[in-house]
Amino acid sequence: MFSEFRQRLAAVRRRVSRFERRELRSFRRWLETTSNLLHVSVLLFVPLLVGLVTLLAETVEVVSFLLFPPLASGTYTLFAEPEGQYSDPQTFVGGLTVGALCGWGAVELTAIAYGVPTGEVGLDAGAAALGVFLTGAATWGLDLELPTAFSTALLVLVTGTAQFAYVVAVALSASLVAVVFVVWRREFYEERARFLYRTTEADDHVVVPMRGETAEQASMLGARIAAAHDAGKVVLLDVVDDEEIAAAEREHIDDEDATSEAEERAADAAAGRLEQQAARIETRVGVPCDVVVAVADGNHAKTVLSTAEEANCDLVVAPFECREDGTLTPFLRRLFGSRIDVVALQSAGERTRWRRIMVPVRSASDVAHAMLDYAERLAGRGGSISVCSCIDAERERRRTESMLANLTETVGTRCETRVSRSSIESFVERNDAHYDLVFLGASTDRSAASKFLSRPTYERLQNLDTDIAVVHTA
């Protein structure tokens, strides 16, 4: 009885663990979208920083509660648009401080004009107008234009006789926020590809099933992807099928152990072909290359996946295969349905190096980040990448341009973005001759209804003049 209870408890724990891993993976993918990451950062850092300044206000008299509205607004602007017009730390600190100084100056000048003490000026219309004018002129002249600077200028009017203390509080609090922002932007936001985008640090062990006429090109693509990382390696896999075994069996029909010897002879022949290709890869690409020959058990895709697991590989690069109607073969369909990253190369020639790459995307998804990562590895510092998106209406252009800008911020290779009001098929067909390779998503994240209404892009593109790489992410 107790043993059965423990087994049930262990089963519950495994299910909970799987659920937690799945949810964590989903949350990480959600964070890969830059807008989501920025929203989370705003939710975390704006309350924390305002709370910290509040704590200082309770312990240090020089910090005034009146600086909270412009400080909170400015902090939101920094973290919500870290590459925006008003997200320069010097502009943030300088603009808020200059605004407070101009408001203080306006109060002093108004007091002199009225012939009254500074503390009696209060909420005066002339002082308010003068403070806004001085702030606009000063921030413009000093190139410190900041919307919240006008808030600090106006709030001086209600500080009574504590204008100097208010200005000091603004400078100190803004500096504290700016320091936190600079550290966050430099150490995390600008390095978010390293922390969030899984393929950036993974996909350096690649298995290549050597199938079909374009297996050599696929193996070179896998090798160049793996070579971008110091720990990269390639495993060339040949799955010996029944026909090869039967041919070898006929040569050794009189042997007592014909089947096993036939398998061995077929495997030896396959290994010889793979060794030659492995030597070419190591010479031309400089990445370690292993050779594996496996005997098929009736399911080639299953053999490939089990080999990838045994060889500790996290990416499969395979030749693209499709039927006459353009749909995937069962082999590729099983690979695209697996929990491992897959790149399927549809080769249009004998190219084995890709430097000019097009990456059409629909959104800032994990597939988009993976395609950009692979493109950057292949293009290198001397190549170029064109990240494109197609829209239906002009009103979508600004949002799409912002999405593409966020995607390409983490790319080290020379990169351009393009937005077109045309279908993805016509856009790619018009421009494919200018590129060596076009990356496309495998659409494995789409629902069955979505696939029924609109076939995957790679099925709608036929007879291109360039190579196509179809990407599936686990």
Side-chain angles (χ1 to χ4, degrees), residues 234-265:
V234 179
V235 176
L236 301 184
L237 170 65
D238 187 56
V239 181
V240 182
D241 58 26
D242 294 339
E243 184 176 340
E244 290 175 302
I245 296 174
E249 283 180 346
R250 284 191 292 270
E251 293 181 12
H252 302 275
I253 192 66
D254 296 329
D255 295 341
E256 293 181 359
D257 194 11
T259 302
S260 61
E261 185 177 346
E263 290 182 357
E264 184 178 349
R265 287 287 300 274

PDB file of all heavy atoms in Angstrom, residues 234-265:
ATOM      1  N   VAL A 234      29.938  18.676 -35.824  1.00  0.00           N
ATOM      2  CA  VAL A 234      28.964  18.146 -36.768  1.00  0.00           C
ATOM      3  C   VAL A 234      29.017  16.629 -36.717  1.00  0.00           C
ATOM      4  O   VAL A 234      30.095  16.035 -36.622  1.00  0.00           O
ATOM      5  CB  VAL A 234      29.256  18.630 -38.209  1.00  0.00           C
ATOM      6  CG1 VAL A 234      28.242  18.040 -39.190  1.00  0.00           C
ATOM      7  CG2 VAL A 234      29.223  20.146 -38.280  1.00  0.00           C
ATOM      8  N   VAL A 235      27.848  16.012 -36.784  1.00  0.00           N
ATOM      9  CA  VAL A 235      27.747  14.556 -36.869  1.00  0.00           C
ATOM     10  C   VAL A 235      27.054  14.225 -38.190  1.00  0.00           C
ATOM     11  O   VAL A 235      25.886  14.586 -38.388  1.00  0.00           O
ATOM     12  CB  VAL A 235      26.956  13.970 -35.689  1.00  0.00           C
ATOM     13  CG1 VAL A 235      26.776  12.461 -35.866  1.00  0.00           C
ATOM     14  CG2 VAL A 235      27.648  14.273 -34.369  1.00  0.00           C
ATOM     15  N   LEU A 236      27.777  13.572 -39.096  1.00  0.00           N
ATOM     16  CA  LEU A 236      27.197  13.128 -40.361  1.00  0.00           C
ATOM     17  C   LEU A 236      26.602  11.741 -40.151  1.00  0.00           C
ATOM     18  O   LEU A 236      27.294  10.810 -39.735  1.00  0.00           O
ATOM     19  CB  LEU A 236      28.258  13.086 -41.458  1.00  0.00           C
ATOM     20  CG  LEU A 236      28.978  14.400 -41.766  1.00  0.00           C
ATOM     21  CD1 LEU A 236      29.930  14.222 -42.944  1.00  0.00           C
ATOM     22  CD2 LEU A 236      27.993  15.528 -42.040  1.00  0.00           C
ATOM     23  N   LEU A 237      25.321  11.611 -40.449  1.00  0.00           N
ATOM     24  CA  LEU A 237      24.604  10.363 -40.190  1.00  0.00           C
ATOM     25  C   LEU A 237      24.113   9.755 -41.492  1.00  0.00           C
ATOM     26  O   LEU A 237      23.457  10.432 -42.301  1.00  0.00           O
ATOM     27  CB  LEU A 237      23.409  10.639 -39.269  1.00  0.00           C
ATOM     28  CG  LEU A 237      22.405   9.493 -39.091  1.00  0.00           C
ATOM     29  CD1 LEU A 237      23.065   8.310 -38.379  1.00  0.00           C
ATOM     30  CD2 LEU A 237      21.168   9.974 -38.344  1.00  0.00           C
ATOM     31  N   ASP A 238      24.426   8.509 -41.687  1.00  0.00           N
ATOM     32  CA  ASP A 238      23.862   7.777 -42.814  1.00  0.00           C
ATOM     33  C   ASP A 238      23.039   6.615 -42.262  1.00  0.00           C
ATOM     34  O   ASP A 238      23.536   5.827 -41.449  1.00  0.00           O
ATOM     35  CB  ASP A 238      24.952   7.241 -43.732  1.00  0.00           C
ATOM     36  CG  ASP A 238      24.362   6.623 -45.002  1.00  0.00           C
ATOM     37  OD1 ASP A 238      23.614   7.339 -45.689  1.00  0.00           O
ATOM     38  OD2 ASP A 238      24.623   5.439 -45.263  1.00  0.00           O
ATOM     39  N   VAL A 239      21.791   6.538 -42.678  1.00  0.00           N
ATOM     40  CA  VAL A 239      20.901   5.462 -42.260  1.00  0.00           C
ATOM     41  C   VAL A 239      20.857   4.428 -43.373  1.00  0.00           C
ATOM     42  O   VAL A 239      20.395   4.712 -44.474  1.00  0.00           O
ATOM     43  CB  VAL A 239      19.479   5.986 -41.949  1.00  0.00           C
ATOM     44  CG1 VAL A 239      18.578   4.845 -41.493  1.00  0.00           C
ATOM     45  CG2 VAL A 239      19.528   7.082 -40.897  1.00  0.00           C
ATOM     46  N   VAL A 240      21.396   3.257 -43.125  1.00  0.00           N
ATOM     47  CA  VAL A 240      21.471   2.203 -44.133  1.00  0.00           C
ATOM     48  C   VAL A 240      20.092   1.600 -44.312  1.00  0.00           C
ATOM     49  O   VAL A 240      19.486   1.111 -43.358  1.00  0.00           O
ATOM     50  CB  VAL A 240      22.481   1.118 -43.708  1.00  0.00           C
ATOM     51  CG1 VAL A 240      22.588   0.049 -44.778  1.00  0.00           C
ATOM     52  CG2 VAL A 240      23.831   1.740 -43.437  1.00  0.00           C
ATOM     53  N   ASP A 241      19.574   1.624 -45.555  1.00  0.00           N
ATOM     54  CA  ASP A 241      18.225   1.116 -45.787  1.00  0.00           C
ATOM     55  C   ASP A 241      18.253  -0.319 -46.292  1.00  0.00           C
ATOM     56  O   ASP A 241      19.300  -0.911 -46.521  1.00  0.00           O
ATOM     57  CB  ASP A 241      17.454   2.018 -46.752  1.00  0.00           C
ATOM     58  CG  ASP A 241      18.162   2.165 -48.088  1.00  0.00           C
ATOM     59  OD1 ASP A 241      18.928   1.254 -48.452  1.00  0.00           O
ATOM     60  OD2 ASP A 241      17.955   3.184 -48.773  1.00  0.00           O
ATOM     61  N   ASP A 242      17.091  -0.888 -46.474  1.00  0.00           N
ATOM     62  CA  ASP A 242      16.970  -2.308 -46.824  1.00  0.00           C
ATOM     63  C   ASP A 242      17.581  -2.629 -48.176  1.00  0.00           C
ATOM     64  O   ASP A 242      18.123  -3.714 -48.379  1.00  0.00           O
ATOM     65  CB  ASP A 242      15.497  -2.720 -46.819  1.00  0.00           C
ATOM     66  CG  ASP A 242      14.901  -2.654 -45.429  1.00  0.00           C
ATOM     67  OD1 ASP A 242      15.688  -2.693 -44.475  1.00  0.00           O
ATOM     68  OD2 ASP A 242      13.669  -2.544 -45.306  1.00  0.00           O
ATOM     69  N   GLU A 243      17.510  -1.696 -49.103  1.00  0.00           N
ATOM     70  CA  GLU A 243      18.019  -1.965 -50.443  1.00  0.00           C
ATOM     71  C   GLU A 243      19.530  -2.168 -50.427  1.00  0.00           C
ATOM     72  O   GLU A 243      20.067  -3.072 -51.075  1.00  0.00           O
ATOM     73  CB  GLU A 243      17.650  -0.812 -51.376  1.00  0.00           C
ATOM     74  CG  GLU A 243      18.062  -1.049 -52.816  1.00  0.00           C
ATOM     75  CD  GLU A 243      17.600   0.080 -53.727  1.00  0.00           C
ATOM     76  OE1 GLU A 243      16.672   0.819 -53.329  1.00  0.00           O
ATOM     77  OE2 GLU A 243      18.167   0.216 -54.821  1.00  0.00           O
ATOM     78  N   GLU A 244      20.249  -1.314 -49.674  1.00  0.00           N
ATOM     79  CA  GLU A 244      21.702  -1.466 -49.568  1.00  0.00           C
ATOM     80  C   GLU A 244      22.062  -2.785 -48.888  1.00  0.00           C
ATOM     81  O   GLU A 244      22.975  -3.499 -49.309  1.00  0.00           O
ATOM     82  CB  GLU A 244      22.296  -0.291 -48.787  1.00  0.00           C
ATOM     83  CG  GLU A 244      22.255   1.023 -49.551  1.00  0.00           C
ATOM     84  CD  GLU A 244      22.742   2.167 -48.679  1.00  0.00           C
ATOM     85  OE1 GLU A 244      22.150   2.373 -47.617  1.00  0.00           O
ATOM     86  OE2 GLU A 244      23.719   2.837 -49.077  1.00  0.00           O
ATOM     87  N   ILE A 245      21.326  -3.119 -47.854  1.00  0.00           N
ATOM     88  CA  ILE A 245      21.593  -4.372 -47.141  1.00  0.00           C
ATOM     89  C   ILE A 245      21.331  -5.565 -48.058  1.00  0.00           C
ATOM     90  O   ILE A 245      22.104  -6.533 -48.094  1.00  0.00           O
ATOM     91  CB  ILE A 245      20.722  -4.458 -45.880  1.00  0.00           C
ATOM     92  CG1 ILE A 245      21.106  -3.342 -44.898  1.00  0.00           C
ATOM     93  CG2 ILE A 245      20.862  -5.820 -45.202  1.00  0.00           C
ATOM     94  CD1 ILE A 245      20.205  -3.251 -43.687  1.00  0.00           C
ATOM     95  N   ALA A 246      20.249  -5.521 -48.820  1.00  0.00           N
ATOM     96  CA  ALA A 246      19.919  -6.633 -49.725  1.00  0.00           C
ATOM     97  C   ALA A 246      21.002  -6.823 -50.777  1.00  0.00           C
ATOM     98  O   ALA A 246      21.368  -7.962 -51.117  1.00  0.00           O
ATOM     99  CB  ALA A 246      18.571  -6.375 -50.387  1.00  0.00           C
ATOM    100  N   ALA A 247      21.521  -5.697 -51.325  1.00  0.00           N
ATOM    101  CA  ALA A 247      22.577  -5.817 -52.330  1.00  0.00           C
ATOM    102  C   ALA A 247      23.823  -6.461 -51.743  1.00  0.00           C
ATOM    103  O   ALA A 247      24.474  -7.308 -52.377  1.00  0.00           O
ATOM    104  CB  ALA A 247      22.907  -4.431 -52.890  1.00  0.00           C
ATOM    105  N   ALA A 248      24.169  -6.071 -50.532  1.00  0.00           N
ATOM    106  CA  ALA A 248      25.337  -6.674 -49.889  1.00  0.00           C
ATOM    107  C   ALA A 248      25.069  -8.129 -49.538  1.00  0.00           C
ATOM    108  O   ALA A 248      25.964  -8.980 -49.598  1.00  0.00           O
ATOM    109  CB  ALA A 248      25.692  -5.873 -48.632  1.00  0.00           C
ATOM    110  N   GLU A 249      23.821  -8.453 -49.180  1.00  0.00           N
ATOM    111  CA  GLU A 249      23.491  -9.835 -48.847  1.00  0.00           C
ATOM    112  C   GLU A 249      23.665 -10.754 -50.052  1.00  0.00           C
ATOM    113  O   GLU A 249      24.140 -11.887 -49.922  1.00  0.00           O
ATOM    114  CB  GLU A 249      22.043  -9.923 -48.341  1.00  0.00           C
ATOM    115  CG  GLU A 249      21.871  -9.460 -46.917  1.00  0.00           C
ATOM    116  CD  GLU A 249      20.418  -9.570 -46.492  1.00  0.00           C
ATOM    117  OE1 GLU A 249      19.547  -9.737 -47.369  1.00  0.00           O
ATOM    118  OE2 GLU A 249      20.175  -9.488 -45.285  1.00  0.00           O
ATOM    119  N   ARG A 250      23.286 -10.287 -51.241  1.00  0.00           N
ATOM    120  CA  ARG A 250      23.410 -11.115 -52.437  1.00  0.00           C
ATOM    121  C   ARG A 250      24.859 -11.472 -52.737  1.00  0.00           C
ATOM    122  O   ARG A 250      25.158 -12.524 -53.291  1.00  0.00           O
ATOM    123  CB  ARG A 250      22.773 -10.406 -53.632  1.00  0.00           C
ATOM    124  CG  ARG A 250      21.239 -10.452 -53.631  1.00  0.00           C
ATOM    125  CD  ARG A 250      20.672  -9.989 -54.954  1.00  0.00           C
ATOM    126  NE  ARG A 250      20.900  -8.571 -55.196  1.00  0.00           N
ATOM    127  CZ  ARG A 250      20.063  -7.604 -54.818  1.00  0.00           C
ATOM    128  NH1 ARG A 250      18.946  -7.919 -54.166  1.00  0.00           N
ATOM    129  NH2 ARG A 250      20.315  -6.348 -55.083  1.00  0.00           N
ATOM    130  N   GLU A 251      25.789 -10.582 -52.371  1.00  0.00           N
ATOM    131  CA  GLU A 251      27.203 -10.861 -52.598  1.00  0.00           C
ATOM    132  C   GLU A 251      27.718 -11.922 -51.629  1.00  0.00           C
ATOM    133  O   GLU A 251      28.727 -12.564 -51.882  1.00  0.00           O
ATOM    134  CB  GLU A 251      28.025  -9.582 -52.437  1.00  0.00           C
ATOM    135  CG  GLU A 251      27.728  -8.536 -53.519  1.00  0.00           C
ATOM    136  CD  GLU A 251      28.588  -7.307 -53.340  1.00  0.00           C
ATOM    137  OE1 GLU A 251      29.548  -7.372 -52.543  1.00  0.00           O
ATOM    138  OE2 GLU A 251      28.309  -6.287 -53.988  1.00  0.00           O
ATOM    139  N   HIS A 252      27.036 -12.074 -50.495  1.00  0.00           N
ATOM    140  CA  HIS A 252      27.520 -12.992 -49.453  1.00  0.00           C
ATOM    141  C   HIS A 252      26.435 -14.013 -49.095  1.00  0.00           C
ATOM    142  O   HIS A 252      26.283 -14.386 -47.944  1.00  0.00           O
ATOM    143  CB  HIS A 252      27.923 -12.199 -48.204  1.00  0.00           C
ATOM    144  CG  HIS A 252      28.977 -11.174 -48.494  1.00  0.00           C
ATOM    145  ND1 HIS A 252      30.311 -11.469 -48.512  1.00  0.00           N
ATOM    146  CD2 HIS A 252      28.865  -9.854 -48.803  1.00  0.00           C
ATOM    147  CE1 HIS A 252      31.002 -10.359 -48.812  1.00  0.00           C
ATOM    148  NE2 HIS A 252      30.139  -9.379 -48.985  1.00  0.00           N
ATOM    149  N   ILE A 253      25.703 -14.495 -50.129  1.00  0.00           N
ATOM    150  CA  ILE A 253      24.564 -15.361 -49.884  1.00  0.00           C
ATOM    151  C   ILE A 253      24.970 -16.689 -49.270  1.00  0.00           C
ATOM    152  O   ILE A 253      24.201 -17.337 -48.571  1.00  0.00           O
ATOM    153  CB  ILE A 253      23.795 -15.609 -51.202  1.00  0.00           C
ATOM    154  CG1 ILE A 253      22.434 -16.277 -50.916  1.00  0.00           C
ATOM    155  CG2 ILE A 253      24.640 -16.415 -52.164  1.00  0.00           C
ATOM    156  CD1 ILE A 253      21.501 -15.416 -50.169  1.00  0.00           C
ATOM    157  N   ASP A 254      26.217 -17.109 -49.536  1.00  0.00           N
ATOM    158  CA  ASP A 254      26.653 -18.408 -49.024  1.00  0.00           C
ATOM    159  C   ASP A 254      27.201 -18.331 -47.614  1.00  0.00           C
ATOM    160  O   ASP A 254      27.514 -19.376 -47.017  1.00  0.00           O
ATOM    161  CB  ASP A 254      27.723 -19.010 -49.947  1.00  0.00           C
ATOM    162  CG  ASP A 254      27.168 -19.310 -51.322  1.00  0.00           C
ATOM    163  OD1 ASP A 254      25.956 -19.616 -51.417  1.00  0.00           O
ATOM    164  OD2 ASP A 254      27.931 -19.210 -52.289  1.00  0.00           O
ATOM    165  N   ASP A 255      27.374 -17.108 -47.072  1.00  0.00           N
ATOM    166  CA  ASP A 255      27.917 -16.986 -45.720  1.00  0.00           C
ATOM    167  C   ASP A 255      26.868 -17.380 -44.702  1.00  0.00           C
ATOM    168  O   ASP A 255      25.662 -17.165 -44.890  1.00  0.00           O
ATOM    169  CB  ASP A 255      28.375 -15.542 -45.456  1.00  0.00           C
ATOM    170  CG  ASP A 255      29.536 -15.175 -46.357  1.00  0.00           C
ATOM    171  OD1 ASP A 255      30.166 -16.101 -46.881  1.00  0.00           O
ATOM    172  OD2 ASP A 255      29.783 -13.965 -46.541  1.00  0.00           O
ATOM    173  N   GLU A 256      27.322 -17.948 -43.591  1.00  0.00           N
ATOM    174  CA  GLU A 256      26.399 -18.400 -42.552  1.00  0.00           C
ATOM    175  C   GLU A 256      25.735 -17.212 -41.846  1.00  0.00           C
ATOM    176  O   GLU A 256      24.571 -17.266 -41.475  1.00  0.00           O
ATOM    177  CB  GLU A 256      27.146 -19.247 -41.517  1.00  0.00           C
ATOM    178  CG  GLU A 256      27.641 -20.568 -42.072  1.00  0.00           C
ATOM    179  CD  GLU A 256      28.343 -21.392 -41.008  1.00  0.00           C
ATOM    180  OE1 GLU A 256      28.454 -20.907 -39.851  1.00  0.00           O
ATOM    181  OE2 GLU A 256      28.773 -22.504 -41.329  1.00  0.00           O
ATOM    182  N   ASP A 257      26.491 -16.126 -41.682  1.00  0.00           N
ATOM    183  CA  ASP A 257      25.948 -14.941 -40.986  1.00  0.00           C
ATOM    184  C   ASP A 257      25.755 -13.832 -41.993  1.00  0.00           C
ATOM    185  O   ASP A 257      26.307 -12.751 -41.869  1.00  0.00           O
ATOM    186  CB  ASP A 257      26.894 -14.512 -39.862  1.00  0.00           C
ATOM    187  CG  ASP A 257      26.229 -13.524 -38.912  1.00  0.00           C
ATOM    188  OD1 ASP A 257      24.997 -13.347 -39.024  1.00  0.00           O
ATOM    189  OD2 ASP A 257      26.946 -12.928 -38.089  1.00  0.00           O
ATOM    190  N   ALA A 258      24.948 -14.137 -43.023  1.00  0.00           N
ATOM    191  CA  ALA A 258      24.847 -13.228 -44.170  1.00  0.00           C
ATOM    192  C   ALA A 258      24.278 -11.872 -43.786  1.00  0.00           C
ATOM    193  O   ALA A 258      24.781 -10.839 -44.196  1.00  0.00           O
ATOM    194  CB  ALA A 258      23.971 -13.854 -45.256  1.00  0.00           C
ATOM    195  N   THR A 259      23.222 -11.878 -42.949  1.00  0.00           N
ATOM    196  CA  THR A 259      22.538 -10.609 -42.651  1.00  0.00           C
ATOM    197  C   THR A 259      23.452  -9.642 -41.917  1.00  0.00           C
ATOM    198  O   THR A 259      23.616  -8.493 -42.320  1.00  0.00           O
ATOM    199  CB  THR A 259      21.277 -10.862 -41.814  1.00  0.00           C
ATOM    200  OG1 THR A 259      20.412 -11.741 -42.538  1.00  0.00           O
ATOM    201  CG2 THR A 259      20.566  -9.557 -41.531  1.00  0.00           C
ATOM    202  N   SER A 260      24.085 -10.064 -40.859  1.00  0.00           N
ATOM    203  CA  SER A 260      24.931  -9.162 -40.089  1.00  0.00           C
ATOM    204  C   SER A 260      26.132  -8.711 -40.903  1.00  0.00           C
ATOM    205  O   SER A 260      26.545  -7.560 -40.825  1.00  0.00           O
ATOM    206  CB  SER A 260      25.381  -9.847 -38.802  1.00  0.00           C
ATOM    207  OG  SER A 260      26.143 -11.000 -39.105  1.00  0.00           O
ATOM    208  N   GLU A 261      26.691  -9.644 -41.719  1.00  0.00           N
ATOM    209  CA  GLU A 261      27.838  -9.251 -42.548  1.00  0.00           C
ATOM    210  C   GLU A 261      27.406  -8.274 -43.631  1.00  0.00           C
ATOM    211  O   GLU A 261      28.127  -7.338 -43.967  1.00  0.00           O
ATOM    212  CB  GLU A 261      28.484 -10.487 -43.178  1.00  0.00           C
ATOM    213  CG  GLU A 261      29.757 -10.152 -43.965  1.00  0.00           C
ATOM    214  CD  GLU A 261      30.425 -11.402 -44.513  1.00  0.00           C
ATOM    215  OE1 GLU A 261      30.076 -12.502 -44.077  1.00  0.00           O
ATOM    216  OE2 GLU A 261      31.295 -11.227 -45.385  1.00  0.00           O
ATOM    217  N   ALA A 262      26.199  -8.482 -44.157  1.00  0.00           N
ATOM    218  CA  ALA A 262      25.681  -7.565 -45.176  1.00  0.00           C
ATOM    219  C   ALA A 262      25.508  -6.168 -44.591  1.00  0.00           C
ATOM    220  O   ALA A 262      25.851  -5.159 -45.232  1.00  0.00           O
ATOM    221  CB  ALA A 262      24.348  -8.084 -45.711  1.00  0.00           C
ATOM    222  N   GLU A 263      24.945  -6.106 -43.407  1.00  0.00           N
ATOM    223  CA  GLU A 263      24.792  -4.814 -42.755  1.00  0.00           C
ATOM    224  C   GLU A 263      26.145  -4.148 -42.543  1.00  0.00           C
ATOM    225  O   GLU A 263      26.305  -2.945 -42.715  1.00  0.00           O
ATOM    226  CB  GLU A 263      24.063  -4.986 -41.425  1.00  0.00           C
ATOM    227  CG  GLU A 263      22.585  -5.355 -41.568  1.00  0.00           C
ATOM    228  CD  GLU A 263      21.893  -5.462 -40.233  1.00  0.00           C
ATOM    229  OE1 GLU A 263      22.587  -5.303 -39.206  1.00  0.00           O
ATOM    230  OE2 GLU A 263      20.671  -5.706 -40.214  1.00  0.00           O
ATOM    231  N   GLU A 264      27.112  -4.955 -42.155  1.00  0.00           N
ATOM    232  CA  GLU A 264      28.441  -4.404 -41.907  1.00  0.00           C
ATOM    233  C   GLU A 264      29.068  -3.874 -43.197  1.00  0.00           C
ATOM    234  O   GLU A 264      29.662  -2.796 -43.208  1.00  0.00           O
ATOM    235  CB  GLU A 264      29.328  -5.488 -41.299  1.00  0.00           C
ATOM    236  CG  GLU A 264      30.718  -4.987 -40.924  1.00  0.00           C
ATOM    237  CD  GLU A 264      31.560  -6.077 -40.290  1.00  0.00           C
ATOM    238  OE1 GLU A 264      31.010  -7.143 -39.964  1.00  0.00           O
ATOM    239  OE2 GLU A 264      32.769  -5.839 -40.132  1.00  0.00           O
ATOM    240  N   ARG A 265      28.912  -4.627 -44.313  1.00  0.00           N
ATOM    241  CA  ARG A 265      29.479  -4.169 -45.590  1.00  0.00           C
ATOM    242  C   ARG A 265      28.799  -2.886 -46.067  1.00  0.00           C
ATOM    243  O   ARG A 265      29.458  -1.952 -46.523  1.00  0.00           O
ATOM    244  CB  ARG A 265      29.312  -5.270 -46.643  1.00  0.00           C
ATOM    245  CG  ARG A 265      30.238  -6.472 -46.451  1.00  0.00           C
ATOM    246  CD  ARG A 265      31.670  -6.084 -46.827  1.00  0.00           C
ATOM    247  NE  ARG A 265      31.765  -5.657 -48.199  1.00  0.00           N
ATOM    248  CZ  ARG A 265      31.945  -6.491 -49.237  1.00  0.00           C
ATOM    249  NH1 ARG A 265      32.031  -7.808 -49.024  1.00  0.00           N
ATOM    250  NH2 ARG A 265      32.034  -6.034 -50.465  1.00  0.00           N
TER     251      ARG A 265
END
